[in-house]
Amino acid sequence: MAWAPDRPAAPGRATGRNGATGTTALEVLRALESGPRGLTEAEADARLARHGENAFPGRRPDPWPRRFARSLRDPFTAVLLSLGLVSAALAAWGTACVIAVLVTVSCVLRATGEHRADRSAAALRELVATTATVRRRPAEPDAPVTRELPVEQLVPGDVVLLAPGDLVPADLRLLRTTGLTVHEAALTGESAPAAKGTAGDLCLQGSSVVSGSATGVVVATGADTVLSGALPQDRGPRLPGPFDRSVNGIAWTLVRFMLLTAPLVLVASALLRGRGLETLPFAVAVAVGLTPEMLPVVVTTALARGAALLARGGEVIVRRLPALHDLGAVDVLCVDKTGTLTQDRPVFDRAVDPEGRDDPAVLHWAAVAALWALHLAELPAPDALDEALLDADEERGSGADGVEGVAALPCGPGRRIASALVRVPGGYAPGGCETSGPEPALPGNVRMLTGARGPVGTYVLVVKGAAEDVLERCTRVADGADGSGPASGRPFGPEDRARLAARADALAESGLRVLAVAVAERPASTGPYAPEDERELTLAGFVGLRDALAPTAAEALTVLAGRGVAVKVLTGDHPGTAARACRELGLDPGEPLTAARIDAAGDAELARLAARTTVFARCAPEHKARVVHALRTAGHTTGFLGDGVNDLAALRAADVGICPRDGVPVAREAADVVLASKDLTALGRAVATGRRSTGHIAAYLRITLSSNLGNVIAMLTAGLLLPFLPMLPAQVLVQNLCFDAAQLSLAYDHPAATVHERPTVLRPRALFRFMTAFGLLNAAADLATFGVLALTLRSAGSTGGQAAFHAGWFTENLLTQALVMLLLRAGRDAAERRAPLPVRLATTGLAVVGLLLPLSPLGPALGMTALPPLYYGLMAVVLSLYGTALAVARKKART
């Protein structure tokens, strides 16, 4: 007779949105007006029309026009629109048209980049399972037919069949199970598979089948599933990230300057020169001159180019363009351990005897139990722990097939041990010695299972499982084993039991998942073996397993550390397990902080603790979110990498939410950045790309703001000293347009060698200090140009003299701006490395326009005329002195 398993437990009961408390599986079938044979096709179609598709109600991609309209809310874009409206009101149609073009180009680039990112993210949905095995009937009297259906067509009442490797397509109430275990890390964060051995248990969407098979009825689809309900509907406004804070700070500072500059020009002109509203267009032009008109375009171009490079390599998808800047600014990265740093797959670490000495025989007996529990209990596939034991025993060269299985009892709900009754060829006594004497009679059912025709060998009961459950069944402890058979053992008492339990706890504290292994010799029996026979065992030892690390996790952490990013691990696992994984990855775990300590700490104390803690263990979703929030309030730019429903709150709380491609759909929808590659080193490359893009934006701001400030100071000064306007509004606009167009090439500049070494963020205060210092240098060059023009022009007050003055200043402005681009690009000296081709072409074009436009037919139309040759010689001297002063000042600023 076979070794009889426990009787099936009573149908499980569950609570939740997809079933009332206390309902059995049969009651659920009746409530759903379904049955074990499934729905008819007509009824399924009617329910599909009533309930809708079984699709995750995630963030629907906004249509392109809505993205375009949303781009208008950018601070600089709003400033430009305001200036454009003022220009239109003053009939300065040229200025208004150019501003409209700039705003349109910027919004088109941003909307297109985000639309492309959403399309790439949508393509990731094709990488997950899209079909389910369903039992339906063509019509009421017909026999049920099992076939594959798209998961979107599942409806409540459908009967679904599950097999190893399947993703659970909806919330199911199980009707029948055979050795079913499911991986629920995406929902709970627990890395160990959960047993679902009772009919009536719930199996939730987002989990995956590890082993076994099952039949279940769909009780919830689409927005009604637990997975969809895990995301709060009322999300509230998200806190602004580093990009938004930086850009808003710069924008509002410039707005204040502009609001001050225009009235200042008008009042000064009226008081000193007696001019009236005729200077209003010039005042608007000065305000436009102070504004980095191309900033929205340059920012969008730099970020979109970086995002496109990452997406082109198939590694990273940036769903929100500003998130690329924020990724480069991250100085603390919080990661979930399960599924990110580890593979959710245990591997064998060690096997020890009761005294803690390495003993391969313990592994062998554990593998024997795993193998025959798999075959004789009719499990369709081993669970992850058994698979690791079998692989390790096979690598050791022992192999668990040296014995013959007789019967087995697997793990199950409420049962944390598995047993196998095996026959050892040749017969072994407890001490490993061969038996002598007549062999016991072998029951007929054992002969049938083993294929034996007579009683041969010794029967050994092998039990493995949770340490405390195995220890309570042991009465003896092995005092030595040679690997050939069960240990002879010696009796042990309560003190020994406590000592052995402490040894198992110590192994668990070291980060291992611990199984105890016990053996006992059993005589042949005429009755069936049952759980009651799992007694009076001899403890053989303990087996420790650890989580398999993600292949590229160690390299990724090394790269991030080298780039100034501190990594913190937030997990629901045991502190020892998390600490061990960190040590194996080369990350010092320090002293782990548990959820209980997090709950006891106030916000201020938690911020201090979070700054010096690396591992946060036993964390629920709210703990993860609180730690992330504490790091942000302490001034850190924080990213969070997670893949499960239990990571949603932390993904939303972080400055940048990051999700691997195989994360659950709700996590991918909530993330700002999706890792399309399983290679974690892609995250380091994404950080580098974000810093490079931010470096390009910062270079543009340094160059344009310092140059614009210098020009505005010079124009204000000249406007008070000269009897005419120093530059006409059209000339200001053309100059700015040429300069800003040339600066688009900065998106293709090589970054400084140190840009990848530390987090990069746009800092308004540092930017304005730079702007003030170099703006004064630029103003000095402009004032020197006034002196040159005074020497070379005899009649500056005449109409021809005014046109020549305008032409001379226009030429000098574009030449100095080209020089600024070469010397201040990406924060490096010109001698450090040759500028890339796009920058060289742009600066050359800028210089050519400055020299030739006043001489071209367009010169007179813009109010400019040709200059005497002496001017160009003196201008070369001014430019040489200005370039030298720039280089010296930049070198001092860097040191």
Side-chain angles (χ1 to χ4, degrees), residues 423-458:
R423 182 176 60 186
V424 180
Y428 290 96
C433 301
E434 294 189 5
T435 59
S436 59
E439 294 175 337
L442 193 64
N445 63 327
V446 174
R447 287 198 300 271
M448 178 184 67
L449 285 170
T450 62
R453 293 185 179 275
V456 178
T458 299

Side-chain angles (χ1 to χ4, degrees), residues 807-867:
W809 197 11
F810 180 88
T811 299
E812 181 266 347
N813 271 333
L814 291 189
L815 291 177
T816 55
Q817 287 168 346
L819 194 59
V820 166
M821 282 185 62
L822 287 175
L823 295 181
L824 300 186
R825 63 183 182 88
R828 61 172 63 179
D829 293 326
E832 188 172 333
R833 185 190 288 184
R834 190 181 184 188
L837 181 61
V839 176
R840 283 185 279 129
L841 291 177
T843 52
T844 301
L846 194 62
V848 169
V849 169
L851 291 170
L852 298 184
L853 185 62
L855 306 178
S856 70
L858 291 177
L862 292 173
M864 295 184 290
T865 188
L867 292 162

Side-chain angles (χ1 to χ4, degrees), residues 464-846:
K464 69 171 178 62
E468 56 269 33
D469 291 28
V470 173
L471 281 173
E472 72 180 15
R473 291 166 170 81
C474 293
T475 57
R476 305 176 71 86
V477 60
D479 56 7
D482 60 6
S484 59
S488 58
R490 57 177 175 79
F492 69 83
E495 293 182 359
D496 294 319
R497 193 183 302 275
R499 177 177 57 84
L500 293 169
R503 188 175 301 282
D505 290 341
L507 289 172
E509 290 291 338
S510 69
L512 296 178
R513 198 174 300 167
V514 181
L515 298 176
V517 181
V519 294
E521 193 170 286
R522 290 288 185 259
S525 174
T526 57
Y529 285 91
E532 291 76 17
D533 295 301
E534 298 168 338
R535 56 184 174 77
E536 297 183 358
L537 306 176
T538 299
L539 181 68
F542 303 100
V543 174
L545 301 103
R546 54 182 170 80
D547 288 332
L549 302 178
T552 57
E555 181 183 353
L557 293 183
T558 301
V559 170
L560 290 171
R563 289 178 176 161
V565 179
V567 176
K568 300 182 182 294
V569 179
L570 281 62
T571 179
D573 278 350
H574 188 284
T577 303
R580 183 185 184 91
C582 289
R583 284 192 293 269
E584 292 177 348
L585 291 169
L587 185 65
D588 182 10
E591 181 180 353
L593 194 68
T594 61
R597 186 72 180 87
I598 295 174
D599 288 333
D603 291 341
E605 183 184 2
L606 181 59
R608 292 192 297 271
L609 290 172
R612 63 172 185 261
T613 302
T614 300
V615 174
F616 301 82
R618 298 298 192 194
C619 288
E622 59 271 19
H623 297 123
K624 296 181 180 182
R626 192 168 173 226
V627 169
V628 171
H629 182 75
L631 290 167
R632 287 189 69 182
T633 55
H636 295 286
T637 302
T638 308
F640 183 85
L641 172 61
D643 63 346
V645 175
N646 58 322
D647 298 322
L648 286 176
L651 285 169
R652 180 163 172 74
D655 289 301
V656 186
I658 309 164
C659 180
R661 77 172 194 183
D662 50 359
V664 296
V666 66
R668 289 204 306 268
E669 294 290 342
D672 302 305
V673 177
V674 177
L675 300 182
S677 168
K678 291 186 177 181
D679 184 358
L680 283 181
T681 58
L683 184 58
R685 291 188 285 274
V687 169
T689 301
R691 293 178 181 180
R692 184 164 57 248
S693 299
T694 302
H696 294 154
I697 297 170
Y700 167 79
L701 285 170
R702 284 195 300 267
I703 292 170
T704 193
L705 291 179
S706 59
S707 180
N708 288 356
L709 179 63
N711 286 339
V712 166
I713 293 174
M715 279 192 286
L716 291 176
T717 303
L720 299 177
L721 297 178
L722 298 175
F724 56 88
L725 293 178
M727 190 173 286
L728 300 179
Q731 296 165 358
V732 174
L733 188 63
V734 171
Q735 169 193 289
N736 288 345
L737 184 60
C738 293
F739 185 34
D740 290 334
Q743 288 186 92
L744 285 175
S745 65
L746 293 175
Y748 299 87
D749 192 11
H750 300 304
T754 58
V755 73
H756 296 158
E757 296 177 0
R758 58 186 182 276
T760 305
V761 65
L762 299 175
R763 303 186 185 278
R765 290 186 179 179
L767 191 62
F768 287 120
R769 284 197 300 268
F770 186 99
M771 164 184 167
T772 302
F774 287 88
L776 293 175
L777 272 179
N778 196 3
D782 287 343
L783 294 175
T785 302
F786 296 162
V788 169
L789 290 170
L791 289 175
T792 55
L793 300 179
R794 296 181 180 178
S795 55
S798 64
T799 302
Q802 293 180 22
F805 185 94
H806 292 156
W809 197 11
F810 180 88
T811 299
E812 181 266 347
N813 271 333
L814 291 189
L815 291 177
T816 55
Q817 287 168 346
L819 194 59
V820 166
M821 282 185 62
L822 287 175
L823 295 181
L824 300 186
R825 63 183 182 88
R828 61 172 63 179
D829 293 326
E832 188 172 333
R833 185 190 288 184
R834 190 181 184 188
L837 181 61
V839 176
R840 283 185 279 129
L841 291 177
T843 52
T844 301
L846 194 62

